[in-house]
Amino acid sequence: MSTDDTSGDDQARFHLTRRGLLSGAAALTVATALARPGQAYAQDAQFCASLGWTVWESGRHIVSGYKDAVAKLGGTLTIADANYDVKKQADQIAAFVASKPAAIFITPADAAAIAPAVQAAVASGIPIFCGDSYVPNTTVTSTAMSNNFGLGSYGAQYISDRLNGKGKVAMVCLPSNESWDQRTLGAKSVFVRYPDIQVVSEIAFALGGSTTPRQVVDNILTANPELDAIWCAWDGAASEGTLAIKAANRKVFITGIDGGKQSFEYIKAGSPFALTLAQSFYEMAYMNAFYAHEVIAGRKAPRFVITPSYAVTKESLAGIPLPDTYDQPGEAAKLGWKRVL
């Protein structure tokens, strides 16, 4: 295992101590627990995190959540980036199991594909904590994630309402991860209720493939001259789709899921990017690390933690700087944002 601070295909190791205090508001649960007499935390525990990706806004917030939590609560942390490579992530998990850490954190890029590796990790007796998606056919210690079905349905409802229940819609889906695919199922559960909403195109996008989201949206626009809206399973497609819509000079609006400064910038500027469902990636990671400490101390962890999501539009961004810490507990309330899921 490399101890160099590297990126890309190399594994990066971060040694963190309590002196790196979490700035801003800490999770209420964490703050309350730390204030209780006799609350012990593992200062010398070794933690490992196998992350399916560290790119994009989501990856940056996930890494920050883990680093801040371990800095606050104690221990050392090794982070490995699989960069959407399933075999690489499975190998990382196996290597982490062999190193016998206090707990392993996993953010799956393809949850179903790495299920055997996670099953083996669970069988080793090491506490396993998953973030962003659950892993099927496994019983990990705890999973912190968004309500993906709800994220998909919320965006579809926004589109249906804005079109007054009538129009032509395209969908850019992300089926490679079972949890991400739940967003598509949620969207379809809404569109099917509107007989005058016609889904004219549904594209199953593959991360790591040769086709970009921009090319997908370009093709959708070319094939559908009367299109009204595009629902996207993640903000990467919505951001690139925004550029495609503007280049084609089309009156089409687009929605996404994830959140982050780039998405907020497009939305605030009044571009075709009209809505994102901003997830709490930082809090997913922080809660995983917090409950790992709880388990080490002999206390319980919840099987599921559903972290907050916020509906972000041009109106909710008016009059405020582009937020980057909204997914740290307590920060969204300062912006006047309310949890929708």
Side-chain angles (χ1 to χ4, degrees):
M1 194 70 62
S2 172
T3 57
D4 295 329
D5 189 357
T6 58
S7 59
D9 286 342
D10 295 324
Q11 296 178 346
R13 189 169 196 166
F14 302 89
H15 291 289
L16 306 173
T17 67
R18 289 180 62 86
R19 67 177 178 269
L21 296 179
L22 174 62
S23 61
L28 179 60
T29 306
V30 177
T32 302
L34 288 174
R36 288 202 296 264
Q39 195 81 347
Y41 286 91
Q43 300 305 302
D44 299 323
Q46 296 181 5
F47 301 104
C48 296
S50 174
L51 307 182
W53 71 96
T54 59
V55 295
W56 318 118
E57 296 278 358
S58 58
R60 180 171 62 85
H61 283 227
I62 289 168
V63 170
S64 294
Y66 280 124
K67 292 173 67 176
D68 285 351
V70 174
K72 175 73 175 181
L73 301 173
T76 60
L77 175 66
T78 299
I79 296 180
D81 179 7
N83 195 26
Y84 297 109
D85 187 323
V86 173
K87 184 180 183 305
K88 184 174 183 179
Q89 186 162 36
D91 290 343
Q92 288 171 355
I93 294 169
F96 284 155
V97 170
S99 70
K100 299 181 180 179
I104 298 175
F105 309 128
I106 300 171
T107 301
D110 186 333
I114 67 165
V118 177
Q119 289 170 349
V122 171
S124 74
I126 298 170
I128 307 298
F129 297 81
C130 289
D132 187 57
S133 66
Y134 65 89
V135 178
N137 302 315
T138 64
T139 306
V140 302
T141 304
S142 185
T143 298
M145 60 185 290
S146 301
N147 175 353
N148 284 286
F149 189 92
L151 293 173
S153 61
Y154 194 103
Q157 189 64 58
Y158 174 89
I159 290 172
S160 300
D161 290 344
R162 183 161 165 173
L163 295 178
N164 294 316
K166 184 176 182 179
K168 295 184 177 181
V169 176
M171 301 178 68
V172 183
C173 308
L174 200 59
S176 58
N177 183 302
E178 186 171 343
S179 289
W180 300 341
D181 195 41
Q182 292 292 315
R183 303 173 188 175
T184 299
L185 298 178
K188 289 181 176 180
S189 75
V190 172
F191 288 141
V192 74
R193 303 174 196 171
Y194 293 88
D196 293 326
I197 293 285
Q198 183 182 359
V199 178
V200 296
S201 179
E202 181 182 336
I203 305 298
F205 187 81
L207 290 168
S210 59
T211 304
T212 67
R214 170 68 187 268
Q215 292 170 326
V216 167
V217 177
D218 279 333
N219 292 337
I220 289 173
L221 293 170
T222 300
N224 299 279
E226 297 181 356
L227 191 67
D228 297 300
I230 303 175
W231 176 96
C232 296
W234 80 109
D235 276 359
S239 295
E240 292 194 33
T242 295
L243 300 178
I245 293 167
K246 292 177 71 173
N249 195 27
R250 296 282 294 275
K251 292 184 178 180
V252 175
F253 68 93
I254 195 166
T255 67
I257 296 169
D258 277 338
K261 291 183 71 174
Q262 182 185 58
S263 306
F264 299 158
E265 183 176 8
Y266 280 127
I267 293 170
K268 189 172 184 176
S271 75
F273 199 159
L275 167 79
T276 184
L277 278 302
Q279 301 184 76
S280 296
F281 293 107
Y282 181 101
E283 188 168 347
M284 291 178 198
Y286 200 100
M287 289 296 98
N288 272 349
F290 169 72
Y291 282 116
H293 276 276
E294 289 286 279
V295 169
I296 292 170
R299 294 180 286 269
K300 294 182 179 180
R303 187 71 66 190
F304 277 96
V305 177
I306 302 301
T307 50
S309 296
Y310 307 93
V312 181
T313 62
K314 184 179 179 181
E315 289 71 26
S316 62
L317 291 168
I320 63 172
L322 292 176
D324 191 44
T325 60
Y326 73 91
D327 59 345
Q328 296 184 17
E331 292 298 301
K334 297 177 183 178
L335 301 173
W337 292 3
K338 293 184 179 180
R339 175 177 186 164
V340 296
L341 295 165

